[in-house]
Amino acid sequence: MMNTPRPHDLLWLSDRDALEDVSEEWVASQWRPQLPVVVRRDVNREGRIPVGVRGMRRDQRAAGWANGTKVKRVVFPESLASRDLLVKSPFVSMPPVQGAIQLALCEWPWVWGITGSVGYALATEVPVLHAQSDLDLIIRCPERVAREALLEWQQVIGHLLCRADTQIETPQGAFALAEWLRDGRVLLKTNNGPQLVSDPWALKG
């Protein structure tokens, strides 16, 4: 692959053998190469990509590895936040998709995307979401963003028709926006494990 996949990217693999080191029995019956796996946060080892497999039930999640040479398609969370895609989705009447459309109608100074069950459903049209599903969001923040700007986003998502949670992706890792705005310190998820920090961009406690 030309670019290293990032956490939350959806990957389609060329065949079953491209998915490695998955022990959960349900994967054999529920996963097939026509369905994507999602990149998870871990150390990329020997050209292998850390991925997760999603089943039809909420408790069906499996961690494994994908052969990086057998990735045939990638969908980024940002591409799923397209207003055109959202309004044409078979799930357009669902509150989480309506919430995403509301966000897509606004102008934001950053790149954002949709992850979780809503993102998976938008990318595959597999009905893994329901009216009460959370809208999981990601904002790419390679450079420091003013707290006030992120607070404005948080206020908007607080008035959506569904519960929404935002992860902020920095070069150091990812953190929960609501937690950082509330506490000033946050658990930063990195490839080498979580770290409690006050500045998620500087990786200092």
Side-chain angles (χ1 to χ4, degrees):
M1 295 189 62
M2 295 299 293
N3 298 310
T4 302
R6 298 176 295 182
H8 305 292
D9 288 350
L10 294 172
L11 309 181
W12 277 258
L13 307 178
S14 59
D15 53 59
R16 282 186 175 272
D17 291 340
L19 182 62
E20 304 169 357
D21 296 344
V22 176
S23 58
E24 287 79 351
E25 293 183 359
W26 60 264
V27 174
S29 62
Q30 292 199 29
W31 183 79
R32 56 191 188 278
Q34 290 79 14
L35 296 173
V37 294
V38 60
V39 179
R40 58 184 175 84
R41 202 175 303 279
D42 204 330
V43 177
N44 191 326
R45 297 172 184 164
E46 300 174 351
R48 300 199 305 168
I49 303 165
V51 298
V53 183
R54 173 185 287 270
M56 291 302 294
R57 296 206 316 261
R58 189 170 184 176
D59 63 333
Q60 289 178 325
R61 301 290 185 272
W65 297 84
N67 185 325
T69 65
K70 293 189 175 183
V71 175
K72 63 178 185 178
R73 181 186 174 205
V74 183
V75 168
F76 308 112
E78 297 91 327
S79 67
L80 301 174
S82 159
R83 184 175 64 183
D84 290 343
L85 182 147
L86 290 166
V87 298
K88 294 176 182 176
S89 167
F91 310 111
V92 65
S93 63
M94 295 278 195
V97 180
Q98 285 291 309
I101 291 172
Q102 187 173 337
L103 287 172
L105 292 172
C106 302
E107 292 290 336
W108 300 104
W110 46 63
V111 175
W112 65 279
I114 303 170
T115 64
S117 61
V118 179
Y120 189 92
L122 289 169
T124 63
E125 298 191 355
V126 175
V128 293
L129 81 164
H130 50 76
Q132 286 74 44
S133 292
D134 291 352
L135 176 59
D136 295 315
L137 302 162
I138 184 174
I139 296 178
R140 306 286 189 188
C141 292
E143 298 179 355
R144 191 183 309 276
V145 176
R147 184 180 186 277
E148 292 73 20
L150 291 170
L151 186 58
E152 180 183 351
W153 167 277
Q154 188 69 8
Q155 290 169 342
V156 170
I157 69 169
H159 290 91
L160 299 179
L161 296 172
C162 62
R163 173 181 165 82
D165 292 304
T166 305
Q167 290 275 321
I168 305 296
E169 284 276 351
T170 77
Q172 313 295 353
F175 65 92
L177 176 58
E179 182 184 347
W180 184 62
L181 292 173
R182 181 183 67 242
D183 302 333
R185 289 173 67 82
V186 75
L187 203 61
L188 185 69
K189 293 184 288 187
T190 76
N191 287 347
N192 298 309
Q195 300 187 33
L196 186 63
V197 302
S198 55
D199 186 342
W201 283 272
L203 197 56
K204 294 178 181 178

